[in-house]
DNA sequence: AAAATAATTTAGGATAGACTAAATTTTACG
DNA sequence: CGTAAAATTTAGTCTATCCTAAATTATTTT
């Protein structure tokens, strides 16, 4: 058992690099900077430090972007597991709504113990998804596979159910909640406009027109 | 409403200064240093900074020790309220034992929101004491009065019930738990030794001999 | 009241993390 | 392919917090 001394700042870097590299491509300095609300220059400095750690937490070549090493990925999944378990638990035991949990979990994720983590996981029945439908990394820090695809990629007549909503913005989340666009809900695409990428969908008895700012954040499991 | 930018370090200073000054006397630089596991020189620097804040968080005169201002006391009670509510809640909802909660609460106390605070307070039914029997500051940040006195100040034939145990050391707390020395338990002093300040007490059917390291940490409400 | 002891302060560094401005490298495209 | 734009890196600062060693001030004892 290794005891890593990842600071909160490092944990945040790793978490965001994980998310930026999920698609396979390395993360650019600029992208990381935007995610973390710091300047690109700061990212370069930190990334060079992470690459110099033993074991290295990121792979880094000048101008080639950043990837996670196995050690970095594990550390990232640890933080993500904390975050998503915390969100789930805030909703289920303290009555938070899905738009209120992100901020709180963002601070708590860095300070809870492994003991706390396993106690809430057990108390919740080892959930596999958080309140937004996002997958919770397993106890042994593997991310389960997810086959959902963005709503924006569906075309008229395609149907599916909402698997997850990849958003943290509270206003957006409240808006989606009001529209009934939450996990497990069935949707059917009835119209697509190639000009603005708007989709018209049917949810229950309602018909909604959604822009791509929304449709790229809703992920669908097709039946 | 003022938004203070108290860092975790500052919050810890204020919390410990609060505890050191509860008796009315100012806290010495050395005492604060011992409590916080930093060097006296570091305390001087921080204390001068806290005294220079607007509004000042501490009163400070060279060689005269440190006191809390109204603003500093409020900030300290805020942290203490967080700590004790968290401990209570860890015990009651996650099955922690009283010797396991301190460390966890120590980290969480600095990062929970006011919203989180009031949610757990409500969920617990606005408790007035934590698992160690310590008073929880009220929502408006007043510390309720407590009339308990240390067990060490009792003499043979005096009786009372344990009100609170002022200790964080996990080993000691486990030991006390095994001896049945927990809040609400009745005790009777049967013997006092002026040589070593040992007290012999009766708890239920058992007789125990306790040194002053223990008896000064157990506080009794006399009947 | 002086000397011994204890408490306190100052000065000078260290580390972590972020910033700005300037320099450099890569990529994009006319 | 050569320049303009974009991305990246470097260099030099800054703030917060802690440290050690040395100097100073207060308190306690004789
Ligand atoms: Mn964990
Ligand atoms: Mn989530
Ligand atoms: Mn509070
Ligand atoms: Mn307590």
């Amino acid at each position: 058992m290794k005891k890593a001394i990842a600071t909160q700042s490092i944990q945040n870097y790793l978490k965001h690099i994980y998310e930026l590299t999920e698609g396979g491509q390395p993360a650019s300095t600029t992208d990381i900077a935007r995610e973390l609300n710091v300047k690109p220059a700061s990212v370069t400095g930190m990334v060079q430090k992470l690459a110099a750690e033993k074991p290295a937490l990121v792979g880094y070549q000048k101008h080639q972007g950043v990837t996670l090493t196995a050690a970095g990925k594990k550390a990232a999944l640890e933080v993500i597991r904390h975050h998503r378990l915390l969100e789930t638990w805030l909703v289920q035991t303290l009555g938070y709504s899905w738009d209120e949990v992100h901020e709180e979990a963002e601070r708590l994720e860095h300070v809870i113990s492994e003991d706390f983590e396993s106690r809430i996981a057990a108390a919740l029945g080892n959930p596999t998804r958080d309140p937004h439908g996002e997958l919770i990394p397993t106890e042994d820090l593997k991310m389960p596979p997810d086959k959902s695809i963005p709503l924006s990629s569906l075309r008229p007549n395609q149907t599916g159910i909402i698997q997850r909503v990849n958003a943290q913005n509270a206003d957006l989340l409240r808006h989606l909640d009001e529209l009934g666009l939450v996990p497990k809900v069935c949707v059917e695409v009835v119209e697509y406009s190639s000009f603005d990428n708007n989709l018209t969908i049917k949810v229950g008895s309602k018909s909604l027109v959604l822009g791509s700012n929304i449709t790229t954040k809703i992920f669908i499991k097709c039946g």
Side-chain angles (χ1 to χ4, degrees), chain A:
Chain A
M1 284 292 135
K2 274 287 124 62
K3 192 84 285 183
I5 33 66
T7 62
Q8 295 198 184
S9 178
I10 289 176
Q11 289 181 9
N12 281 331
Y13 272 89
L14 294 174
K15 184 173 70 161
H16 286 284
I17 293 168
Y18 178 89
E19 280 156 7
L20 289 167
T21 56
E22 264 185 317
Q25 354 66 36
S28 74
T29 303
T30 319
D31 287 346
I32 299 170
R34 180 166 0 88
E35 286 289 312
L36 290 165
N37 289 305
V38 298
K39 302 299 171 189
S42 306
V43 172
T44 299
M46 178 59 92
V47 152
Q48 288 177 343
K49 192 171 87 173
L50 297 180
E53 298 265 306
K54 302 190 316 185
L57 296 169
V58 302
Y60 167 74
Q61 298 290 335
K62 294 184 183 194
H63 294 274
Q64 303 294 133
V66 181
T67 55
L68 288 180
T69 62
K73 192 169 182 176
K74 218 176 135 182
L77 287 171
E78 182 75 62
V79 182
I80 293 170
R81 176 168 164 86
H82 288 190
H83 185 98
R84 293 182 181 174
L85 277 173
L86 281 162
E87 285 191 345
T88 307
W89 179 74
L90 291 169
V91 166
Q92 292 199 206
T93 77
L94 288 177
Y96 276 72
S97 55
W98 81 340
D99 55 290
E100 296 171 317
V101 289
H102 181 75
E103 237 199 333
E104 195 84 50
E106 201 62 30
R107 281 175 279 109
L108 290 166
E109 65 187 8
H110 306 293
V111 304
I112 66 174
S113 67
E114 292 304 289
D115 186 28
F116 186 101
E117 172 197 315
S118 59
R119 280 176 197 258
I120 60 174
L124 294 166
N126 297 300
T128 57
R129 291 185 183 267
D130 81 4
H132 309 99
E134 298 287 353
L135 282 160
I136 299 173
T138 57
E139 200 180 342
D140 62 341
L141 303 178
K142 311 268 192 249
M143 182 65 89
D146 181 275
K147 285 173 278 295
S148 61
I149 57 175
L151 175 54
S152 57
S153 68
L154 299 199
R155 290 296 171 267
N157 292 318
Q158 290 191 278
T159 64
I161 71 168
I162 297 178
Q163 175 86 269
R164 60 192 176 97
V165 175
N166 185 225
Q168 306 94 239
N169 180 271
D171 290 329
L172 173 57
L173 287 169
R174 262 193 304 279
H175 180 63
L176 293 177
D177 190 53
E178 279 159 19
L179 296 178
L181 297 173
V182 300
K184 299 210 172 76
V185 163
C186 286
V187 300
E188 179 185 352
V189 175
V190 296
E191 200 181 324
Y192 166 69
S193 159
S194 63
F195 302 108
D196 52 13
N197 291 305
N198 275 357
L199 284 179
T200 306
I201 66 171
K202 250 179 69 176
V203 185
S205 56
K206 279 181 306 187
S207 188
L208 302 169
V209 182
L210 305 173
S212 66
N213 271 354
I214 290 179
T215 56
T216 55
K217 292 180 176 123
I218 296 174
F219 287 74
I220 303 295
K221 184 173 57 176
C222 288

